């Protein structure tokens, strides 16, 4: 096969993965297909020296520089939050987190190795991204955190901007929103009033629910899907309306990575609402049920009573006459 044809095929391969697989929810499990993609990209690395798609953004993991291991979940957690929000913006194509994770695994890197000055530009080219977003978690004035995000322009290898947001750990959802709108403003990405209102909505204001999700993501990346399931369930217990945990649980079940018969309380609640049923049936509580196949297939006996017609008078003749 000629070099031109080989390059052409690979460019199509990159375009397919970059454009068609980028969505607001592309899953959190690093699948076999994602690992095959990462392996293929590294094999063909020399052919993609100048491949990038405009307005394409890859969010790398944040580096915990506080020397506090309890903050390690924020390294992937902040990335997850920013990617979830940025993927709602129509004028930005956000690459999947699992692609970044698959590439890390294939390259034999950790979170710290991913953000090294010499590694980040290479990762950007391999991902076909125009911009790379990453940063550091820095200890501020106790008890505050300081989050610094950097934007790298991959073609020029220049740091375009740095945004800084400060706050307590309990204000993480506010810190993330502050970074989010600073990033959008710097990249000069226009958003509609509707998009802006949607972006203002927090994933959750419950820090315990957020930390549980972050730990679930880490457990999933490590292949410990049972532990990931437990963390997602905990997140839903803390905040039943947290969308990411619910979707992550559905994904684990769909991929048969946890027992299908296991149902979260939130899922059971949803099923009961759909069928208008309650946990317990009581003769004191009237219950309306929708018809189901069992109801339809079971013969129904209806006891219909008709009024008894009056007995006509009997004319008894006197036999003696």
């Amino acid at each position: 096969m000629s070099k031109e044809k080989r390059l052409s095929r690979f460019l199509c391969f990159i375009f397919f993965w970059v454009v068609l697989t980028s969505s607001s929810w592309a899953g959190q499990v690093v699948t076999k297909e994602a690992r095959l993609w990462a392996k293929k990209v590294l094999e063909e690395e020399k052919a993609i020296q100048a491949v990038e798609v405009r307005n394409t953004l890859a969010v790398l993991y944040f580096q915990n520089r506080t020397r506090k291991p309890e903050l390690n979940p924020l390294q992937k957690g902040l990335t997850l939050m920013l990617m979830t929000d940025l993927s709602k913006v129509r004028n930005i194509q956000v690459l999947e987190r699992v692609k970044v994770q698959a590439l890390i695994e294939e390259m034999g890197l950790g979170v710290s190795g991913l953000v090294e000055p010499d590694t980040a530009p290479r990762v950007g080219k391999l991902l076909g991204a125009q911009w790379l977003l990453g940063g550091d978690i820095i200890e501020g004035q106790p008890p505050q955190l300081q989050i610094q995000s950097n934007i790298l322009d991959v073609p020029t290898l220049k740091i375009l901007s740095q945004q800084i947001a400060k706050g307590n750990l309990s204000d993480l959802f506010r810190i993330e929103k502050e970074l989010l709108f600073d990033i959008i403003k710097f990249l000069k990405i226009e958003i509609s009033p509707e998009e802006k209102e949607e972006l203002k909505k927090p994933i959750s204001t419950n820090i315990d629910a957020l930390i549980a999700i972050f730990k679930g993501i880490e457990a999933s990346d490590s292949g410990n899907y049972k532990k990931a399931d437990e963390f997602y369930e905990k997140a839903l217990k803390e905040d039943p309306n947290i969308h990411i945990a619910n979707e992550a649980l559905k994904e684990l079940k769909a991929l048969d990575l946890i027992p299908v018969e296991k149902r979260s309380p939130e899922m059971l609640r949803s099923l009961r609402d759909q069928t208008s049923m309650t946990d317990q049936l009581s003769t004191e509580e009237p219950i309306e049920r929708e018809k189901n196949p069992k109801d339809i297939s079971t013969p129904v006996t209806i006891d219909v009573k008709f009024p008894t017609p009056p007995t006509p008078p009997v004319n008894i003749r006197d036999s003696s006459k």
Side-chain angles (χ1 to χ4, degrees):
M1 182 184 296
S2 67
K3 184 177 180 180
E4 290 77 10
K5 287 185 178 180
R6 187 180 181 186
L7 177 59
S8 177
R9 287 181 59 182
F10 188 68
L11 291 179
C12 291
F13 176 77
I14 288 290
F15 179 81
F16 174 82
W17 273 90
V18 168
V19 178
L20 298 185
T21 63
S22 298
S23 62
S24 60
W25 180 265
Q28 300 302 332
V29 175
V30 183
T31 61
K32 180 181 178 181
E33 289 75 17
R35 292 189 174 94
L36 287 174
W37 169 84
K39 184 176 181 179
K40 182 69 174 176
V41 165
L42 286 176
E43 289 175 353
E44 302 286 350
E45 183 174 0
K46 292 182 179 179
I48 58 172
Q49 292 301 312
V51 176
E52 76 273 340
V53 180
R54 284 191 58 79
N55 287 10
T56 301
L57 175 69
V59 186
L60 305 185
Y61 298 142
F62 283 69
Q63 177 71 14
N64 180 15
R65 300 191 184 278
T66 66
R67 297 183 180 179
K68 294 182 178 180
E70 64 269 22
L71 296 179
N72 283 343
L74 271 63
Q75 296 182 128
K76 292 184 178 181
L78 277 167
T79 298
L80 178 66
M81 293 174 75
L82 286 168
M83 291 180 72
T84 301
D85 280 339
L86 287 167
S87 63
K88 298 175 184 177
V89 180
R90 288 175 297 175
N91 294 325
I92 300 179
Q93 292 184 30
V94 181
L95 301 183
E96 302 172 51
R97 190 198 69 84
V98 293
K99 292 177 66 177
V100 176
Q101 180 63 31
L103 199 57
I104 290 174
E105 295 175 7
E106 190 64 28
M107 296 173 72
L109 299 173
V111 174
S112 59
L114 179 64
V115 295
E116 290 298 323
D118 294 335
T119 306
R122 182 187 175 199
V123 170
K125 290 181 180 179
L126 290 170
L127 290 169
Q130 180 183 0
W131 299 308
L132 280 186
L133 172 64
D136 299 313
I137 303 167
I138 305 169
E139 190 171 6
Q141 293 294 327
Q144 286 195 333
L145 292 174
Q146 181 170 303
I147 310 297
Q148 176 180 297
S149 66
N150 305 318
I151 300 176
L152 172 72
D153 184 68
V154 176
T156 63
L157 303 181
K158 292 182 180 179
I159 298 292
L160 299 179
S161 175
Q162 291 183 336
Q163 288 81 32
I164 296 177
K166 302 177 182 179
N168 297 334
L169 181 60
S170 58
D171 294 329
L172 183 62
F173 68 95
R174 180 193 58 77
I175 296 173
E176 185 267 339
K177 295 299 182 185
E178 189 174 329
L179 289 174
L180 170 69
F181 285 106
D182 283 346
I183 291 165
I184 292 173
K185 181 179 179 180
F186 177 79
L187 294 177
K188 298 179 180 179
I189 300 296
E190 295 184 2
I191 57 175
S192 66
E194 293 77 16
E195 284 179 312
K196 187 173 182 179
E197 288 303 312
E198 183 64 26
L199 290 173
K200 286 181 180 179
K201 298 177 183 178
I203 293 173
S204 176
T205 59
N206 187 313
I207 188 61
D208 292 329
L210 289 172
I211 295 296
I213 287 179
F214 303 162
K215 290 182 177 180
I217 294 295
E218 180 58 43
S220 179
D221 287 346
S222 302
N224 191 342
Y225 303 117
K226 183 177 182 296
K227 198 69 177 177
D229 176 28
E230 293 173 0
F231 280 125
Y232 295 146
E233 295 277 11
K234 181 180 178 181
L236 283 171
K237 184 177 180 181
E238 295 288 344
D239 183 356
N241 298 317
I242 197 160
H243 175 73
I244 293 179
N246 199 27
E247 291 298 321
L249 277 173
K250 290 180 181 178
E251 183 186 18
L252 290 177
K253 291 180 174 69
L255 294 173
D256 292 327
L257 297 175
I258 57 175
V260 178
E261 64 272 10
K262 186 175 178 59
R263 295 289 185 267
S264 68
E266 181 67 18
M267 187 175 293
L268 287 174
R269 202 174 298 117
S270 175
L271 289 172
R272 287 198 302 270
D273 291 342
Q274 292 175 14
T275 55
S276 301
M277 295 183 67
T278 57
D279 286 320
Q280 296 180 349
L281 301 180
S282 170
T283 55
E284 297 178 358
E285 300 177 0
I287 299 172
E288 294 181 5
R289 293 183 54 187
E290 296 179 1
K291 291 183 179 181
N292 55 48
K294 184 177 178 181
D295 296 330
I296 296 172
S297 60
T298 304
V300 179
T301 303
I302 303 176
D303 186 12
V304 179
K305 294 184 179 181
F306 294 96
T308 304
T311 304
V314 179
N315 185 17
I316 301 176
R317 299 171 59 183
D318 189 354
S319 58
S320 60
K321 291 184 182 181

